[in-house]
Amino acid sequence: MRYDYQRADWGARPAKSRTLLTWSRVRKIVIHWPASITPIGATPEAIASYLRAWQRYHQAVQGWTDIAYAVGVDQAGRVWELRGADVRDGATAGQGGTTQSILAILAIDETPTPAMLTTLRHIAHELAGKAAKGCTIVGHGDAGSTRTDCPGPQLRAWVRAGLPAPTHTQPKEDIMATKDELRTIIREEITAFMHAPIPAGTTDRPWTTTATDALAAAAELEYIALADGTRVRTDDAIAAIYERITKTAAGEEPAL
């Protein structure tokens, strides 16, 4: 897994011990939140401060070996290495190494951004693809371990709905790209799409990390401005890309 920030970047303490996860035993990918009553902030420095505080609490007060979660995703869609994707987590009581956890880094009064949802969706499917056949993606409150509202009403409803791709309605600014550059993105994604394994429990193939980043960034914009002056609505462009990928994979269209 690719991390935007590794443990050293947020100043993690050493784990007291660590046990590698046996992926063939994993039955659930569980999405959590910290239920922070104060805004966490969007800067890497602010997020790192909260991660250190949570780790101190988990180790010193709860007596756990490390911060409880495996991977974190912030409101900008950045991925944080917590315990690590391949390390057994401590976030879902009584599951005995049959789960892996993702922490959505947001406070109680904050709404998950499209960037966060896009990355959560990608990471959850990526992890489910490594797990046992039939692995499901659930919110903590639906994991069957403890009675909890985690990961909050908005995320819980989103996960129950099947992690739908977010809609992007907030216009920001234009970016410049040549048709050849856009063509390259499509070609690379088609290649990756056709070779990517289908995650257990889903019929959909995941976006690759590179394409996810590119499309998530583009989706924050209302338009893509081509070098020849043409302006294409971003949502239309992404829909066209996905349609072309699907048809190419099905053999209905030749690869670019």
Side-chain angles (χ1 to χ4, degrees), residues 3 5-8 10 51 70-72 79-85:
Y3 299 108
Y5 297 98
Q6 298 181 330
R7 286 175 62 89
W10 57 271
L51 291 176
V71 180
V79 182
W80 295 74
E81 181 187 26
L82 303 183
R83 287 196 181 192

Side-chain angles (χ1 to χ4, degrees), residues 95-130:
Q95 297 291 323
T98 61
T99 65
Q100 188 55 299
S101 59
I102 306 172
L103 176 67
I105 305 173
L106 80 165
I108 286 177
D109 293 332
E110 293 177 331
T111 297
T113 63
M116 170 179 274
L117 296 178
T118 297
T119 302
L120 282 174
R121 183 172 184 261
H122 170 69
I123 296 297
H125 283 307
E126 180 179 337
L127 295 182
K130 300 174 66 173

Side-chain angles (χ1 to χ4, degrees), residues 7-24:
R7 286 175 62 89
D9 296 322
W10 57 271
R13 295 177 175 184
K16 296 178 182 178
S17 66
R18 64 197 299 267
T19 301
L20 292 179
L21 193 64
T22 302
W23 279 106
S24 61

